[in-house]
């Protein structure tokens, strides 16, 4: 009987691994180093190796394993082929196929942000929901769209790339992607710093942000303490992100929106501000869609990866 | 053997009906009047009646019919319940269930714009594609999202309500939905007229639009003849619509985008202008997603409705 599955979350530094029961119980989690040398050729063999060792250690036969799900930092098409993963030094790579060949166990790859969304929809903040949008606010802005309980990968693996929705046609500075006016330029950790610096330079108003290094955290901390300039930054952030989520709700009409990533550690004041603008811009029937904080933190990836193969 | 299905497209004035083979061949199409009196209580019995008559006429038994699909002008949830259909004077109505009870044939209801998208994805401009976005430019702006070959209805039946994506946070005039800055206010037939009038009032520039009644058609006709003011209107239209479609591509990453509805009769000059701005704002991997004109015109609804039950 198939009672186990693996969820693997490949990052640029470490590979997070989880052994799960098929009912979603996480039995054990561990990490191995990501060896990116020689175009990351060791990464899949290392995953195969750590899976084999865990099976031996736990005395589990391969017949008892339903599959291995892998989250990868790059676009992945619906066949489980990675188009490119810059941080792993991978070009086009048939990850599902290669890992199956290495392990003899069915494998499936997905984009890491999409996979994290699936994790939250399975066992996290949106547990049990079939129709979920997750936005991950980190150095960049990632996203994942779950429709009918499954990841929406899209034709080019760009499903859920909501960080690159254009939210400001007037923006002149460029995003890392080459376009101007992406959500990522407004709502990521670096985007928040960029906006704060812009506002600080444009006026002489007093602000506690003038005394220290500016990070997304110091901006939200200053906001909590009533700093008016920080308030302006957070309102702009909230308006762009809330507005973008309202647009997404007009497309997929999710039952819940999950906000995760490092920036989301600001907590309820962040979702409150986003929700205020979401309600302003959302279509009438979606105005009350809940916006909640992610729950699984760094484990969302292994949960979602495991769910992919179930 | 199940060899037939019906596709029904309910409008405020007429009910369009199609008898199909399950391979997609349209055997016959006809119309009956939409009787909206008494809260539209006659509409479903009239559909049941015309279906029964057609079966008798063609000597087809009910056992040979796989189902009846119905497109309805209003939000429909994934169970086939209509939340509301203002033009039919319907409140909440279990359309699939009621029609099944009336006919003894399995029935499924969907939103008309979603259903038209499914029609184009089945036998129209996006034939054979599983991942399609369709935008319908009429009096309003409707939309339909097809993911994995199926309609994305959403939690409140608002999936694909792309006419109400906010595309301009600065807009002060209100959309019919109550919000300000919806795509519908910029890209619908009425939206184009609104923008043209606004620009005409804001300047003294000569334009052939000053001499006649302004409609979306006269604006595009003037554009074709090189009228500079019409050009400004069409560029604004193209920038808002192309920008919104680029945002949608970051969400669902379709393999093709279909533009239909009365306004789309302007033809290739319209899609060229939309495509120019789509390319400007789209995420790198989606920039070459084709934007094509709808093919099935008024039959998209009956095709898509039929496909729903297959």
């Amino acid at each position: 009987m198939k009672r186990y599955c693996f969820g693997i979350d490949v990052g640029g530094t470490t590979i997070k691994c989880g052994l799960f029961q098929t009912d979603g119980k996480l039995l054990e989690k561990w990490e191995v180093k990501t060896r990116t040398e020689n175009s990351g050729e060791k990464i899949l063999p290392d995953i195969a190796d750590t899976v084999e060792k865990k099976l031996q250690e736990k005395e589990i036969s391969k017949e008892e394993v339903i599959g291995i799900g892998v989250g990868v930092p790059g676009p992945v098409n619906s066949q489980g082929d990675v188009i490119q993963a810059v941080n792993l030094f991978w070009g086009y790579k048939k990850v599902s196929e290669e890992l199956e060949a290495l392990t003899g166990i069915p494998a499936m790859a997905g984009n890491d942000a999409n996979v994290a969304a699936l994790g939250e929809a399975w066992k996290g903040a949106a547990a049990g929901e079939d129709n979920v949008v997750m936005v991950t606010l980190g150095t960049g802005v990632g996203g994942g769209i779950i429709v009918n309980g499954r990841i929406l990968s899209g034709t080019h693996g760009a499903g859920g790339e909501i960080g690159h929705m254009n939210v400001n046609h007037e923006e002149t500075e460029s995003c890392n992607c080459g376009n101007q006016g992406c959500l990522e330029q407004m709502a990521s950790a670096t985007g928040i710093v960029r906006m704060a610096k812009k506002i600080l330079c444009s006026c002489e108003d007093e602000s506690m942000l003038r005394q220290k290094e500016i990070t997304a955290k110091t901006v939200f901390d200053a906001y909590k303490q009533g700093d008016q300039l920080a308030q302006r930054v957070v309102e702009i952030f909230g308006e762009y992100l809330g507005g973008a989520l309202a647009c997404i709700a007009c497309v997929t009409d999710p039952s819940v929106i999950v906000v995760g990533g490092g920036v989301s550690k600001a907590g309820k004041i962040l979702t409150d501000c986003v929700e205020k603008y979401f309600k302003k811009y959302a279509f009438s029937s979606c105005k009350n869609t809940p916006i909640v904080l992610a729950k699984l933190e760094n484990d969302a990836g292994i949960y979602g990866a495991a769910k992919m193969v179930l």
Side-chain angles (χ1 to χ4, degrees), chain A:
Chain A
M1 205 190 125
K2 308 265 185 207
R3 293 194 298 155
Y4 303 100
C5 59
F6 287 90
I8 312 285
D9 184 12
V10 185
T13 315
T14 59
I15 302 171
K16 297 188 187 69
C17 307
L19 171 63
F20 291 83
Q21 286 178 184
T22 52
D23 64 4
K25 188 173 177 202
L26 175 59
L27 298 174
E28 198 171 325
K29 62 175 176 173
W30 69 100
E31 288 184 5
V32 298
K33 199 174 161 299
T34 309
R35 294 197 286 166
T36 53
E37 58 268 27
N38 296 326
S39 307
E41 64 176 18
K42 290 285 197 294
I43 296 173
L44 292 181
D46 284 350
I47 293 173
D49 192 53
T50 196
V51 162
E52 300 268 4
K53 278 185 185 144
K54 189 57 64 182
L55 291 176
Q56 279 170 24
E57 178 197 324
K58 297 283 176 187
E59 299 184 347
I60 297 171
S61 76
K62 286 191 182 175
E63 286 64 43
E64 291 175 285
V65 180
I66 197 162
I68 305 168
V70 186
V72 174
V76 182
N77 69 20
S78 52
Q79 281 78 51
D81 300 343
V82 173
I83 314 299
Q84 189 182 40
V86 181
N87 294 338
L88 307 182
F89 299 89
W90 283 358
Y92 194 94
K93 202 172 184 67
K94 292 178 174 295
V95 171
S96 306
E97 207 177 296
E98 285 189 35
L99 194 59
E100 275 184 34
L102 287 165
T103 60
I105 298 171
M108 186 66 205
N111 167 268
D112 56 358
N114 291 350
V115 164
L118 186 61
E120 291 288 345
W122 189 33
K123 294 290 173 185
E129 298 294 337
D130 261 6
N131 195 355
V132 176
V133 168
M134 179 167 176
V135 56
T136 303
L137 308 172
T139 314
V141 171
I145 313 289
I146 307 300
V147 170
N148 294 326
R150 299 185 58 183
I151 289 170
L152 203 174
S153 309
T155 306
H156 315 89
E161 276 291 356
I162 62 182
H164 300 287
M165 290 172 68
N166 188 293
V167 294
N168 182 5
H169 289 184
E170 314 303 325
E171 178 65 55
T172 52
E173 289 180 28
S174 284
C175 178
N176 285 332
C177 78
N179 286 350
Q180 289 87 39
C182 293
L183 176 62
E184 182 159 301
Q185 292 179 273
M186 324 292 173
S188 66
T190 44
I192 292 167
V193 172
R194 183 184 79 98
M195 288 196 300
K197 287 185 175 164
K198 224 168 159 176
I199 294 178
L200 281 166
C201 287
S202 73
C203 69
E204 304 278 308
D205 299 3
E206 268 186 50
S207 166
M208 52 183 77
L209 294 176
R210 294 196 189 274
Q211 281 100 55
K212 45 184 132 185
E213 194 201 354
I214 302 173
T215 64
K217 185 173 184 312
T218 58
V219 170
F220 277 100
D221 285 347
Y223 173 77
K224 285 179 198 171
Q225 289 170 57
D227 186 277
Q228 292 205 341
L229 202 140
Q231 203 156 12
R232 279 164 61 194
V233 179
V234 172
E235 292 285 329
I236 295 171
F237 158 87
E239 180 151 20
Y240 279 120
L241 182 54
L245 292 172
C247 284
I248 297 169
C250 285
V251 183
T252 75
D253 183 16
S255 57
V256 55
I257 295 168
V258 180
V259 184
V263 176
S264 74
K265 289 196 196 306
K268 194 170 176 301
I269 57 152
L270 181 148
T271 46
D272 282 352
C273 181
V274 173
E275 194 169 81
K276 178 173 85 179
Y277 289 102
F278 178 82
K279 275 187 197 295
K280 178 176 176 187
Y281 293 121
F283 185 53
S284 53
S285 43
C286 306
K287 282 194 193 287
N288 294 316
T289 302
I291 298 179
V292 303
L293 291 163
K295 271 189 186 165
L296 300 176
E297 300 199 346
N298 289 332
D299 289 346
I302 57 173
Y303 273 93
K307 180 70 172 91
M308 258 198 304
V309 296
L310 294 179

